Amino acid sequence: MTQRFNRKPFAWVRLALLLVLPIALLVLPATYFDEGQAVCVSRLLFDVECYACGLTRAVMHALHLEFSEAFYYNPLVVIVLPLLVLLWTIWVRQDLKTLGFYPPKAG
């Protein structure tokens, strides 16, 4: 007899993290990631910027509704931020279903 993995504890933890993360990013100032050492491997090893360079700073500024500053750091923020919001929504909904907050489908 196989035992089924109980996903509810994992779903509670993930849901809590998913709900706290946007609040934490909004509480931090928009310039929080503007200074400091780059963590991009391409930039550290080859001193060449990749397409994602500046994306963290761009998303942070976009979350604070500073769109011109966000676009300055990385124009791809207009594509990446909506995709991140969509992914976040899918994950939250999935966890809510796992925890039983959505009724099962009829039929």
Side-chain angles (χ1 to χ4, degrees):
M1 180 160 76
T2 61
Q3 291 182 344
R4 190 155 192 267
F5 178 69
N6 186 3
R7 295 182 180 180
K8 285 193 176 188
F10 174 73
W12 277 113
V13 171
R14 190 170 89 160
L15 182 62
L17 290 174
L18 286 170
L19 295 177
V20 168
L21 181 65
I23 295 169
L25 291 176
L26 287 172
V27 169
L28 291 173
T31 59
Y32 186 76
F33 295 111
D34 289 357
E35 300 295 325
Q37 178 67 31
V39 292
C40 178
V41 175
S42 172
R43 199 153 174 209
L44 290 173
L45 295 179
F46 308 114
D47 200 27
V48 176
E49 287 191 1
C50 67
Y51 291 114
C53 281
L55 204 48
T56 302
R57 292 174 286 178
V59 168
M60 191 67 167
H61 282 281
L63 288 175
H64 288 272
L65 305 178
E66 299 173 358
F67 297 112
S68 62
E69 192 79 12
F71 196 78
Y72 167 77
Y73 280 114
N74 194 327
L76 290 176
V77 73
V78 297
I79 297 170
V80 172
L81 186 60
L83 290 175
L84 286 174
V85 170
L86 177 66
L87 186 62
W88 181 86
T89 305
I90 290 170
W91 284 346
V92 168
R93 185 175 172 158
Q94 182 181 29
D95 287 344
L96 289 174
K97 280 184 180 180
T98 301
L99 296 170
F101 287 101
Y102 283 105
K105 290 184 178 179

